[in-house]
Amino acid sequence: METILNALNESQLEAVKKIDDPILILAGAGSGKTRTITSRLAYLVGVVGIDPANTLTLTFTNKAANEMRERALSLLKSANLRVAYPPLLCTFHKFGLLFLKFYINRLGRKNNFIVIDNDDKKRILKSFEIEISTASVANEISHYKNSFITPDIAKEQAEEKRYEIIASLYERYEEYLLQNNLVDFDDLLTLTYKILDEDSILCEEISRRYQYIMVDEYQDTNDLQYKLLKKLCFTHSNICVVGDDDQSIYGWRGANIKNILEFPLMFDNTTIIKLEYNYRSTNEILRAANDLIEHNRSRFGKVLKSTKGKGKEVQFIESSDENQESSIVAKRVKKLIDSGVSPKEIAILYRINALSRSLEEGLNRMHISFKMVGGVKFYERAEIKDLISYLRIITNPHDDFSLLRIINRPKRGLGKVTLDKIIYSANAKKLSIYDFMRQHTELLKEIVSKKSYEKLIEFLEGIENLTAIANNSTYDFIDELERSFGIRQYYKELPDSIERILNIDEFFGLFRDYMKQNPNVAIDLFLNEIALQSEQDQIDGESINIMSVHASKGLEFEHLFVIGLEEGFFPLIGESNDIEEERRLGYVAITRAKKELTLSCSLSRFYKGRRTDLTKSRFLNEAGICGGGLILEKSSEFKKGDLVKHKIFGIGRVTEVTRIKKECKLSINFGGSRRDILSAFVEKI
C-alpha cells in the first residue's frame, strides 16, 4: 500500500488519507481523479480496516463503476490486501434498484417488479394514441417525478390545455405501471427517496450501514440525487464527493451546479481539496483553458498546472465560410495522418450538431474516414430525413416509402391500424398511397376518423400547392414548405428542440444556397447531390473522431480541432442558455487536447436558415487566442454566488442580491452566519 500511496501527489494523498467528515475534492481536468477515488477506497478498506459492506461509491455510468471497481480491487491485490467481498460501487440507479428489491413492499408493492427503459416508456404512452409527441410527454413526466409532482398536483398546476392533457396522460401512465408492477428509471430514485423520507427508522438503519460514501462527477448531480445523499448521511457526515465545478455542462438535463458550489454550506465542516496537477495537456493548452474559465464567477477557482511541460502554441484558423473551414481542417487532418499520426488520436469537436454537415462533406471530399461519437450523421437525423422525404414527395408523390415516413409527422391522428388499412386498400386498388387517397376519398372517409380525414386532405392539398410553387420558384419554395406543414413547430415541442431546429435551419440554408447557385436546377438534382455527399465511400482502416463537445466529456486526444467558435454558435446564445455553462463547455473542449490544439471560426454561416455574417466568439478573446469578439469589461456588479470579503466578518458568499434605489443590498453567508450588508462595504474576491 505504501507503494500505491507514494505514486500520489501531495493533494491526492491528502484526499486519500482524509477519512471522516465531509470532503469536497475539486478534481481539475486530467488531474488523476479516478486514481484518487480508487486509492481512497483501497485505503479505507485495506489500511483503515473499514468493512467493504460499510462503503458506498456512486457514479453515473456502469462503465465508470466497473472500471473503478476493477482498479480498486487491483490496488488491494497488488498490496497483498484481500477482502472477502467487493465494496458496493455502482450507479445511482443501480443503488435504487437494489434498495427497492428489498423495501418496495413498504409502499404496498411487490418486489418482483420489472424495470422498463425509455423506449418501453414511450411505447406505453404511444398505446394511449395521443396526438402530442410521446418524447415530449415522456420528458414532462420525468420532470414531474424528479420534482415530486404527483398526477393530481400536475392537474392542479396545468394552466394550458396541453399541460392538462399531459397531466391526464401522466395519471394513466402511473396507473398502467402499478397494474403491471412496472418501475421506470425515474422511479428507481424517486421511490427510494420516498421510502427513506417516510420511514425514519429505516433511513437510520441504511445510513448506519453505509458509513463511508463517495460520489463521482458530483457536479452532474440533480436535486433529487442531492436529497437522496442527505438521507444516506442521516446518521453521519462521512461523505466524499469528487467533481469539477468548471466541468458542469449538463444543466439542460437537470444537473444543478449549486450542489457542488454550495456543498460546504450543505455539509458542515467540509474540507476542500483541489487537484490542480494536470497529467494530460501541455502548458500552452492549459494556459488557454485557465484564461478562459477564469472569466466565470460561479466557481471555487483553481489553476491547472501541466506535468507535461512546454508544447506547441495553440493554432487558430479564421475562414470566410463553413466550406472553407471544413476544407482547411480536412487538409490539416490529412497532413497529420500522412505524417504517421494514428487517426484515432485525432478529433474534431463542435458545440452544435448542425455544424457537422459541412464538416462531414469536407472530410468526404478529402477521403478521410471518420466516425461520429455519441451522435448521428447529419443526413441520418430524423428531422433531416423528414425534410428529405417531403422534398421527395414533391418530386415524386408515388414514393410510398417517403410518404409513409411523413404522413403522420407532424401528427395527423393516424394509428398503426389506420395506416395498415390505408396501405391494404392502396395495394388492393394497385395504386400508390397518394393516388389512392386522391382518387378514393369516399373510401378514405370510411377508413379514418373525420378529423384525420380533414388533415389528410389538407396534407394532399399542401403537397399539390408546393409542387406548383417548386415548378416556378425553387428558392422561395422552402418558406412555403414550412408554412404549409409546420415542421419546425413540430420539432420545437420535443425535448431536444434547440438542436433539431438548428439542424432544420442548416438544411433550409443549404437548400437556399444550392438553389441560388443553381437557379434552373430541379429539386431532384439537389436530392441526388446530397445523397452522394452523405455517403462515405472511402471507409477503410482507422477513422478520426468527430463529435459534439458534450459527447467528448471524459475523452482525450493527441490532436484536437474545435470548430464553430462564433457568437451564436459557441457560445450558443438564447433564453435557455447560461453563458457560464457555455464557457465551461469551452473549457471542457480545450482540455480534451493532449499535444496540439487548433481553434477555428468562420466569418459567415447559415444562421436560422439564412447566410449570415458572424462575429468571433468571445471565448477566443478570453482564452488569449486572438482579439475581436466581444469587448470584456470588468463589472462592479454583484451577483448570487460571488465570493466577497468584509473587514469585520471576513469571507462569505453572496446568496441574494436586492436593489434599493441606487443601492445594492447583499445577503451574505459568512461560514453559516447570514447577514444583509450594502455592497459598498464589501469587495469581490
Side-chain angles (χ1 to χ4, degrees):
M1 196 71 200
E2 192 175 329
T3 305
I4 294 167
L5 297 179
N6 286 340
L8 304 173
N9 64 41
E10 189 177 334
S11 299
Q12 291 171 333
L13 189 60
E14 181 187 359
V16 167
K17 289 191 167 184
K18 172 72 177 160
I19 302 302
D20 297 319
D21 296 325
I23 308 166
L24 170 58
I25 302 174
L26 293 172
S31 62
K33 174 195 70 170
T34 304
R35 174 192 288 182
T36 305
I37 296 173
T38 51
S39 296
R40 186 174 188 273
L41 185 56
Y43 183 80
L44 281 171
V45 174
V47 176
V48 181
I50 303 299
D51 185 340
N54 293 138
T55 70
L56 172 63
T57 305
L58 296 169
T59 67
F60 278 85
T61 66
N62 288 315
K63 181 182 176 184
N66 292 335
E67 181 188 345
M68 283 196 275
R69 185 186 302 106
E70 290 304 314
R71 285 176 68 166
L73 292 175
S74 176
L75 288 173
L76 288 168
K77 187 177 179 181
S78 67
N80 292 318
L81 299 167
R82 307 229 173 250
V83 291
Y85 40 83
L88 181 54
L89 203 160
C90 61
T91 65
F92 275 93
H93 289 93
K94 179 64 179 293
F95 174 78
L97 173 61
L98 295 172
F99 179 88
L100 291 178
K101 281 293 180 184
F102 284 100
Y103 302 109
I104 198 170
N105 61 318
R106 303 201 176 208
L107 295 175
R109 297 178 61 169
K110 296 177 182 176
N111 67 356
N112 63 340
F113 60 84
I114 300 295
V115 181
I116 61 170
D117 61 20
N118 286 326
D119 285 338
D120 297 325
K121 181 179 182 179
K122 288 176 186 175
R123 273 195 288 271
I124 292 168
L125 291 169
K126 202 168 186 179
S127 71
F128 300 155
E129 294 194 0
I130 58 178
E131 290 198 18
I132 303 174
S133 154
T134 51
S136 183
V137 176
N139 192 61
E140 201 62 40
I141 289 174
S142 183
H143 165 71
Y144 287 146
K145 288 195 175 191
N146 281 279
S147 303
F148 301 104
I149 296 173
T150 63
D152 288 339
I153 296 172
K155 283 182 178 179
E156 288 174 15
Q157 293 180 349
E159 295 180 354
E160 299 174 22
K161 182 67 176 174
R162 171 185 170 80
Y163 288 102
E164 287 176 11
I165 295 170
I166 292 175
S168 177
L169 292 167
Y170 177 25
E171 184 175 50
R172 288 180 66 186
Y173 172 73
E174 285 294 88
E175 287 171 357
Y176 185 95
L177 295 189
L178 281 170
Q179 288 168 5
N180 294 279
N181 201 21
L182 303 175
V183 167
D184 66 21
F185 264 61
D186 295 312
D187 290 332
L188 293 176
L189 297 189
T190 54
L191 296 182
T192 296
Y193 177 81
K194 180 179 171 66
I195 293 168
L196 291 174
D197 189 49
E198 293 176 354
D199 191 335
S200 59
I201 295 174
L202 177 63
C203 185
E204 182 176 342
E205 178 191 325
I206 297 298
S207 179
R208 290 193 186 283
R209 181 182 305 168
Y210 300 113
Q211 284 289 313
Y212 292 89
I213 298 170
M214 282 198 288
V215 186
D216 186 26
E217 301 286 7
Y218 189 69
Q219 77 280 349
D220 295 336
T221 54
N222 60 25
D223 293 339
L224 174 57
Q225 286 158 341
Y226 158 71
K227 287 181 177 180
L228 185 56
L229 288 170
K230 287 291 281 186
K231 291 296 179 186
L232 295 175
C233 292
F234 186 66
T235 62
H236 62 83
S237 59
N238 300 328
I239 180 169
C240 171
V241 301
V242 187
D244 187 357
D245 51 325
D246 292 333
Q247 294 189 74
S248 178
I249 59 174
Y250 295 115
W252 51 277
R253 70 180 187 196
N256 190 346
I257 193 174
K258 287 182 182 178
N259 287 354
I260 191 166
L261 290 177
E262 297 181 5
F263 185 84
L265 302 178
M266 297 167 174
F267 293 89
D268 293 336
N269 303 316
T270 294
T271 299
I272 300 176
I273 299 170
K274 298 180 182 180
L275 305 185
E276 296 177 299
Y277 283 103
N278 176 284
Y279 296 89
R280 176 188 299 158
S281 310
T282 63
N283 282 328
E284 288 73 13
I285 292 167
L286 294 186
R287 188 182 304 121
N290 287 327
D291 287 350
L292 173 63
I293 203 64
E294 198 175 44
H295 288 82
N296 269 8
R297 298 167 70 180
S298 298
R299 64 189 295 258
F300 282 101
K302 61 184 178 310
V303 178
L304 293 179
K305 302 157 193 167
S306 176
T307 60
K308 296 286 186 183
K310 189 173 174 57
K312 286 189 176 183
E313 288 294 328
V314 176
Q315 299 294 301
F316 174 57
I317 298 171
E318 184 177 323
S319 307
S320 59
D321 60 27
E322 70 278 8
N323 294 320
Q324 185 185 31
E325 177 185 58
S326 63
S327 177
I328 294 172
V329 170
K331 285 175 182 174
R332 294 198 181 189
V333 168
K334 186 79 163 61
K335 189 176 179 181
L336 286 171
I337 294 171
D338 290 345
S339 71
V341 173
S342 170
K344 65 184 180 183
E345 283 297 339
I346 303 170
I348 307 171
L349 310 184
Y350 38 80
R351 167 64 182 92
I352 56 174
N353 289 316
L355 267 60
S356 79
R357 196 269 310 168
S358 57
L359 180 62
E360 289 174 44
E361 291 173 6
L363 293 170
N364 280 333
R365 282 192 294 269
M366 291 295 293
H367 301 286
I368 297 170
S369 173
F370 65 88
K371 67 177 179 181
M372 186 166 285
V373 179
V376 180
K377 291 172 184 174
F378 185 79
Y379 292 109
E380 294 173 7
R381 291 168 192 157
E383 58 275 18
I384 302 304
K385 282 189 167 185
D386 288 349
L387 289 169
I388 290 172
S389 293
Y390 269 101
L391 295 186
R392 283 177 175 165
I393 289 299
I394 301 304
T395 60
N396 176 19
H398 310 299
D399 178 352
D400 284 355
F401 178 80
S402 295
L403 190 136
L404 285 172
R405 180 177 180 89
I406 60 173
I407 197 169
N408 207 29
R409 195 172 297 179
K411 298 269 186 186
R412 296 184 179 93
L414 304 174
K416 184 180 183 302
V417 174
T418 303
L419 278 174
D420 286 344
K421 286 179 181 178
I422 293 173
I423 295 166
Y424 176 81
S425 300
N427 290 339
K429 299 285 184 185
K430 295 184 179 180
L431 295 171
S432 69
I433 293 172
Y434 177 88
D435 274 350
F436 165 72
M437 291 193 295
R438 253 297 162 233
Q439 295 173 23
H440 297 276
T441 53
E442 290 304 315
L443 182 54
L444 184 63
K445 270 185 186 177
E446 296 175 16
I447 294 173
V448 303
S449 67
K450 183 182 177 183
K451 187 177 179 183
S452 294
Y453 173 78
E454 290 170 355
K455 287 190 175 182
L456 282 173
I457 295 301
E458 185 183 334
F459 168 71
L460 295 171
E461 288 172 351
I463 295 294
E464 288 163 4
N465 179 47
L466 277 171
T467 304
I469 291 172
N471 291 332
N472 296 317
S473 174
T474 49
Y475 184 80
D476 295 327
F477 146 90
I478 208 79
D479 291 322
E480 187 58 37
L481 172 66
E482 180 55 36
R483 272 195 296 272
S484 297
F485 298 107
I487 301 160
R488 289 177 91 259
Q489 187 58 43
Y490 169 71
Y491 277 106
K492 232 177 208 175
E493 295 177 356
L494 297 183
D496 48 356
S497 61
I498 293 175
E499 286 284 0
R500 290 182 184 271
I501 296 303
L502 286 167
N503 290 336
I504 289 169
D505 286 341
E506 173 75 7
F507 185 84
F508 284 171
L510 171 67
F511 181 87
R512 286 194 182 97
D513 205 48
Y514 184 87
M515 291 305 171
K516 192 174 182 180
Q517 293 175 34
N518 306 276
N520 300 316
V521 168
I523 291 174
D524 59 337
L525 291 177
F526 168 76
L527 291 170
N528 291 339
E529 188 73 23
I530 63 173
L532 291 173
Q533 289 173 348
S534 62
E535 285 298 318
Q536 284 193 81
D537 57 6
Q538 76 293 330
I539 301 292
D540 274 320
E542 292 184 324
S543 305
I544 70 161
N545 304 275
I546 70 172
M547 68 194 85
S548 69
V549 179
H550 280 102
S552 75
K553 180 86 162 38
L555 304 177
E556 56 184 45
F557 303 94
E558 293 281 337
H559 304 270
L560 186 79
F561 298 81
V562 185
I563 66 168
L565 281 154
E566 306 96 29
E567 290 293 306
F569 285 88
F570 200 179
L572 187 60
I573 298 169
E575 285 182 14
S576 60
N577 295 97
D578 174 2
I579 190 61
E580 295 216 347
E581 182 158 318
E582 290 294 307
R583 195 174 281 111
R584 292 194 290 271
L585 263 175
Y587 174 83
V588 167
I590 290 172
T591 54
R592 299 310 95 197
K594 296 162 70 176
K595 189 174 176 182
E596 290 187 18
L597 172 66
T598 302
L599 304 178
S600 171
C601 79
S602 177
L603 299 180
S604 81
R605 286 186 195 278
F606 293 125
Y607 189 54
K608 297 186 177 176
R610 309 275 177 184
R611 182 158 293 285
T612 308
D613 291 336
L614 300 171
T615 307
K616 291 177 192 171
S617 170
R618 70 190 77 182
F619 296 165
L620 291 168
N621 190 333
E622 293 172 358
I625 304 302
C626 66
L630 297 183
I631 297 171
L632 300 172
E633 293 180 356
K634 294 285 184 182
S635 172
S636 59
E637 292 287 320
F638 290 85
K639 73 169 197 174
K640 190 175 178 180
D642 281 348
L643 275 177
V644 295
K645 184 177 182 180
H646 187 273
K647 60 184 179 182
I648 295 174
F649 302 119
I651 295 173
R653 191 176 293 280
V654 177
T655 58
E656 190 176 353
V657 179
T658 309
R659 295 201 172 278
I660 305 172
K661 295 182 180 179
K662 292 184 178 179
E663 290 286 352
C664 185
K665 186 173 77 172
L666 309 176
S667 290
I668 307 171
N669 186 313
F670 294 100
S673 174
R674 296 179 183 271
R675 299 180 184 273
D676 292 338
I677 295 173
L678 294 176
S679 61
F681 291 85
V682 297
E683 60 181 3
K684 252 186 279 186
I685 297 177

